[in-house]
Amino acid sequence: VRNHEDIMALGARLSKDLYLATSGATSKQHGLNSAQQYEAAYNDTRGYYSGINSATMALLADMPEDIVKSRALHILETLPPTKNLTPTDYYFIEATRAECFLLLDNIENAVKSLRLAFEFDPLNYTAHATSLKQFRLIQRKKQSDMSWLEMFLPPRPAHFAGHIWNYDSPPSKPLYENMLVNISDAIQKNDIGYGFGALAAGADIVIAERLIQEGAELHVILPSGADSFVETSVRPFGGDWVPRFAACMKQATSTKIMDLSSQAKEEDLYLIAGNVAMGQAIIKGQQFDVEAAQVLILDDSVEDSMTSLHAAQWQ
């Protein structure tokens, strides 16, 4: 196939995957294959995607430094103008410019270009993660500092859970207020942007409310249908838990129901829902190339609770 960058670059991308999955001489050969295939695609199509990858793979495959830098300079000089482009197209051009600067050891301009890219397409976290993974490969190969990349990390996903408590016997006011501060601190300090969990009375709802308040997406995973869940895990605990549950559900970005069988035990459904919530957080973290977190309100004096089980499963 000729004159089609995506198809011509497919073999190069597969060779790159093999380079990353192997070691020693085998890995180096896959890296050389990838660099050559990307360069062939670039020579045929003049696409900057294949061009910048031919330069980066040349570095990773230990090709001479002058080849790496000449390819990076050429792409830098021939990148298309960014006027009147979609945010996504603008992102990839500026991210490519940043990668060129990185290959040329110009960290200052790499940071400037990457910041421009992120500012024009701020919510394209999957693309951000791909760029950052590429930049880490470059810096690791150069044995250079990677700490500056942390400022560009996407928000982290988190699984959340905690103990149910009766509205008539809540934690003391000082403990409750301290709990709210600690939850908000955890969300902010860990840059949590996505929360995955259930909405039982007590800790679940309290954490969910703080996630929403801090601007994070709430993804609700229930062990049974909403009406059934309310009657078993929300309404019996009194107070205003039911309207607070409803408010969280209304503001949730997504909802999953794990009601797999009318014969399933309630405890098994809760375990399944918890595992799915943890899995969703981990998958989101893998997608964004960041480490998923777990936010729990856990009373260590309560043995064999569902929350302590979630903590053990997470570890």
Side-chain angles (χ1 to χ4, degrees):
V1 173
R2 300 289 302 275
N3 303 313
H4 193 302
E5 186 183 23
D6 286 344
I7 294 176
M8 293 188 70
L10 178 57
R13 285 152 58 189
L14 294 172
S15 292
K16 179 182 177 182
D17 286 343
L18 290 170
Y19 162 82
L20 295 171
T22 55
S23 60
T26 301
S27 177
K28 183 175 180 178
Q29 186 57 55
H30 287 309
L32 288 169
N33 291 343
S34 180
Q36 292 166 358
Q37 290 167 309
Y38 273 127
E39 184 68 4
Y42 175 69
N43 288 334
D44 193 70
T45 66
R46 293 298 168 185
Y48 63 86
Y49 163 78
S50 53
I52 187 59
N53 275 284
S54 75
T56 294
M57 288 310 303
L59 169 74
L60 299 179
D62 295 322
M63 293 175 69
E65 185 179 7
D66 61 330
I67 292 178
V68 176
K69 292 195 171 182
S70 66
R71 289 182 181 183
L73 276 171
H74 183 69
I75 297 301
L76 196 58
E77 293 167 355
T78 57
L79 279 173
T82 54
K83 291 183 179 179
N84 303 318
L85 294 178
T86 66
T88 299
D89 287 339
Y90 186 104
Y91 172 83
F92 284 115
I93 290 173
E94 287 301 327
T96 299
R97 197 186 316 278
E99 192 169 340
C100 289
F101 283 129
L102 194 59
L103 291 170
L104 296 168
D105 298 314
N106 189 336
I107 299 294
E108 182 179 353
N109 281 336
V111 171
K112 289 179 181 177
S113 294
L114 195 58
R115 185 173 286 122
L116 278 175
F118 279 43
E119 287 174 354
F120 270 81
D121 201 8
L123 301 181
N124 194 352
Y125 296 128
T126 302
H128 298 179
T130 300
S131 295
L132 294 175
K133 188 179 295 185
Q134 184 89 330
F135 286 16
R136 288 192 199 98
L137 286 174
I138 294 170
Q139 293 299 85
R140 192 174 294 117
K141 185 66 177 180
K142 288 176 172 285
Q143 296 183 328
S144 299
D145 175 50
M146 289 189 282
S147 61
W148 60 274
L149 292 170
E150 293 180 6
M151 72 177 85
F152 296 107
L153 288 176
R156 295 173 67 186
H159 166 250
F160 68 91
H163 298 296
I164 291 179
W165 69 72
N166 196 301
Y167 201 86
D168 295 330
S169 55
S172 66
K173 185 175 181 180
L175 178 61
Y176 182 73
E177 290 177 350
N178 187 54
M179 187 187 300
L180 296 181
V181 171
N182 285 339
I183 297 168
S184 291
D185 282 350
I187 293 168
Q188 293 172 16
K189 290 178 180 177
N190 293 281
D191 195 22
I192 293 170
Y194 305 86
F196 297 85
L199 289 175
D204 283 1
I205 290 176
V206 170
I207 296 173
E209 289 172 339
R210 303 311 281 188
L211 286 164
I212 293 168
Q213 188 175 54
E214 295 294 338
E217 286 187 8
L218 175 63
H219 297 268
V220 178
I221 295 91
L222 298 180
S224 60
D227 292 343
S228 172
F229 182 78
V230 165
E231 295 307 319
T232 58
S233 302
V234 184
R235 194 184 305 279
F237 301 94
D240 61 355
W241 289 128
V242 172
R244 289 167 72 175
F245 168 89
C248 288
M249 288 288 285
K250 188 175 181 180
Q251 296 178 80
T253 301
S254 71
T255 304
K256 291 182 182 293
I257 306 297
M258 296 294 110
D259 194 358
L260 304 181
S261 166
S262 59
Q263 304 302 314
K265 296 179 181 178
E266 182 177 317
E267 182 178 353
D268 291 340
L269 289 174
Y270 272 80
L271 284 172
I272 292 169
N275 283 329
V276 170
M278 287 184 244
Q280 292 289 301
I282 291 167
I283 289 169
K284 179 69 76 173
Q286 291 172 343
Q287 180 186 0
F288 290 171
D289 201 29
V290 293
E291 186 179 3
Q294 187 180 55
V295 179
L296 299 179
I297 296 178
L298 179 62
D299 183 349
D300 290 330
S301 67
V302 180
E303 296 181 359
D304 300 326
S305 68
M306 188 66 67
T307 306
S308 62
L309 180 57
H310 289 329
Q313 287 175 315
W314 184 262
Q315 293 302 319

